Amino acid sequence: MIIDKNFSPIMEQVFAGRGFSKDETSALVHSMIDGTLSDMRVAAVLTGFRFITLTEEIVIAILNAIREKNPIFDSHDLESVVDCGGTGGDHTSTVNISTTAAIVAAGAGANIAKFAGKSISSKSGSSDVLKTLDLTPATTLKVAYENIKKFNIAFLPSNIYFPNLKHLAHIRKTLGFKTIIDLVYPLANPMKLTGQLVGVYSKDSLPLMINCLKNLGRKRAIVAHGEDGLDEISVCSATYIAKLENGKITHEVLKPSEFGIKTHKIKDLIGKDIEYNTKILLDVLKNDAHPAIMDAVIINTAAILWCAEKCDTISEGIEIAKHSISSASALATLEKWKNQK
């Protein structure tokens, strides 16, 4: 399909409520990636996706277009590999909970392929903090595999594996709202995953994302959205989750009190700049952070461990996560990872 010639009719139909077909979606994404579309037209496409009802077919079509020149690494012999992270867009600028939880989960024996991007909307994204910690990124999937074998964790920066999307970053930032790219990014990890924890900025995205994860072959997965708006499991409110286990999808509501956790105030989770957020990450690993942050990291670690098949329940995962911190296993994992040179 020649997008340049058909662009206006396609967009007029979208804004009239028709939506994109699978072929139109693939063609539009390819045109955004290869530079065929001007920045203004790219912005129009990204905006247009907000006017349509997204389906699993459309999201997977976008993912496949993004991945076309970046085949997934599926030849590894790891029994399980998981990732964790969110879409962003909750407008709260919390400390880096999922990044910290990934390290704690690695300390507990889970294999983590941490696919991380530079923050578009906040001061400190996962990639920013991991670079500040002087962690060497896995520049190839072979290196990522070797890091996971040695340290249970690897850092895969999205700009290394998807450099073709770099020019879209300033357009997304200028738009000032979350786009379809933010929704698809958590699904784009180039390692073959067996499990995944994904936080989303909208409760309405739960069924869509969990079905996409099922389509991608995850054995276990959790998609979470806090009632307070957080794109992770919240310790400040109830959390809506969609859960995938062996092909079966269920929906639940988690409350902090169910796990003996106090309901905290969201202000106690707010981060600042990269240096501050990095310090907080280290404080957690030293078992010396604010109780709200400790609890947030622990419950999200528990969910990661469940996705990695290291426990059968979130409650069991909480105890394993606590031990990873109190035994200094999580901190030791970080130090080994840092000193790999």
Side-chain angles (χ1 to χ4, degrees):
M1 177 180 290
I2 302 173
I3 286 298
D4 205 38
K5 191 179 292 185
N6 296 289
F7 183 82
S8 294
I10 290 173
M11 295 308 297
E12 284 175 5
Q13 291 177 43
V14 167
F15 290 121
R18 182 182 70 82
F20 297 120
S21 70
K22 182 180 176 180
D23 289 342
E24 288 167 346
T25 297
S26 182
L28 283 165
V29 174
H30 278 113
S31 296
M32 288 194 293
I33 291 172
D34 65 21
T36 301
L37 295 182
S38 66
D39 287 359
M40 188 174 292
R41 285 189 165 186
V42 170
V45 173
L46 294 176
T47 302
F49 274 110
R50 291 177 66 93
F51 284 78
I52 67 174
T53 300
L54 293 173
T55 64
E56 180 187 341
E57 181 182 53
I58 293 299
V59 173
I60 297 298
I62 295 169
L63 178 63
N64 288 339
I66 290 172
R67 274 182 168 173
E68 194 169 274
K69 295 180 180 179
N70 302 275
I72 193 168
F73 183 62
D74 59 2
S75 59
H76 63 73
D77 58 358
L78 299 166
E79 188 175 335
S80 72
V81 186
V82 301
D83 189 11
C84 59
T87 56
D90 58 17
H91 305 296
T92 56
S93 296
T94 59
V95 294
N96 300 85
I97 292 168
S98 67
T99 307
T100 312
I103 297 171
V104 177
N111 290 328
I112 310 291
K114 183 58 179 165
F115 183 57
K118 184 175 176 62
S119 176
I120 292 292
S121 59
S122 67
K123 294 180 180 178
S124 173
S126 293
S127 187
D128 302 308
V129 168
L130 291 171
K131 286 179 181 177
T132 302
L133 286 167
D134 196 30
L135 291 164
T136 303
T139 53
T140 68
L141 290 169
K142 181 181 178 182
V143 172
Y145 167 78
E146 290 170 351
N147 283 356
I148 293 171
K149 290 285 280 189
K150 290 178 183 175
F151 317 116
N152 293 343
I153 189 165
F155 164 32
L156 293 79
S158 60
N159 64 323
I160 289 178
Y161 292 92
F162 297 101
N164 50 353
L165 298 182
K166 187 177 180 180
H167 71 285
L168 300 182
H170 79 278
I171 301 173
R172 291 160 58 207
K173 189 169 185 177
T174 300
L175 285 172
F177 54 76
K178 286 295 170 182
T179 69
I180 184 64
I181 300 298
D182 299 284
L183 197 66
V184 172
Y185 246 141
L187 305 175
N189 194 312
M191 289 285 288
K192 182 175 176 59
L193 303 176
T194 58
Q196 192 164 359
L197 169 64
V198 180
V200 293
Y201 56 80
S202 167
K203 181 184 174 185
D204 294 338
S205 300
L206 291 173
L208 173 65
M209 289 297 278
I210 200 68
N211 277 291
C212 286
L213 291 168
K214 180 179 179 180
N215 179 292
L216 292 170
R218 309 293 191 257
K219 293 180 182 178
R220 284 188 178 185
I222 291 176
V223 182
H225 174 75
E227 192 174 48
D228 53 6
L230 290 181
D231 65 333
E232 57 207 7
I233 298 177
S234 179
V235 292
C236 305
S237 73
T239 300
Y240 303 104
I241 70 166
K243 201 173 181 181
L244 169 69
E245 184 175 13
N246 297 324
K248 182 181 179 183
I249 293 172
T250 56
H251 293 266
E252 301 175 21
V253 179
L254 304 182
K255 296 180 179 179
S257 59
E258 294 175 24
F259 307 101
I261 295 173
K262 173 187 173 183
T263 301
H264 297 281
K265 294 180 179 179
I266 202 164
K267 68 179 181 63
D268 293 324
L269 298 178
I270 301 302
K272 295 180 183 177
D273 56 20
I274 297 171
E275 290 71 24
Y276 175 85
N277 286 5
T278 303
K279 177 184 179 300
I280 294 300
L281 183 152
L282 293 171
D283 287 346
V284 171
L285 301 188
K286 295 172 185 175
N287 208 8
D288 194 32
H290 189 285
I293 297 172
M294 294 298 301
D295 284 343
V297 169
I298 286 167
I299 196 168
N300 279 277
T301 300
I304 297 168
L305 292 170
W306 183 86
C307 292
E309 300 182 85
K310 293 294 181 181
C311 59
D312 293 323
T313 65
I314 298 295
S315 294
E316 183 184 344
I318 285 173
E319 296 308 311
I320 298 172
K322 287 179 178 178
H323 183 262
S324 179
I325 294 171
S326 64
S327 66
S329 178
L331 183 60
T333 294
L334 176 64
E335 292 302 323
K336 282 170 59 181
W337 191 17
K338 282 180 66 174
N339 297 324
Q340 63 180 287
K341 298 173 185 177

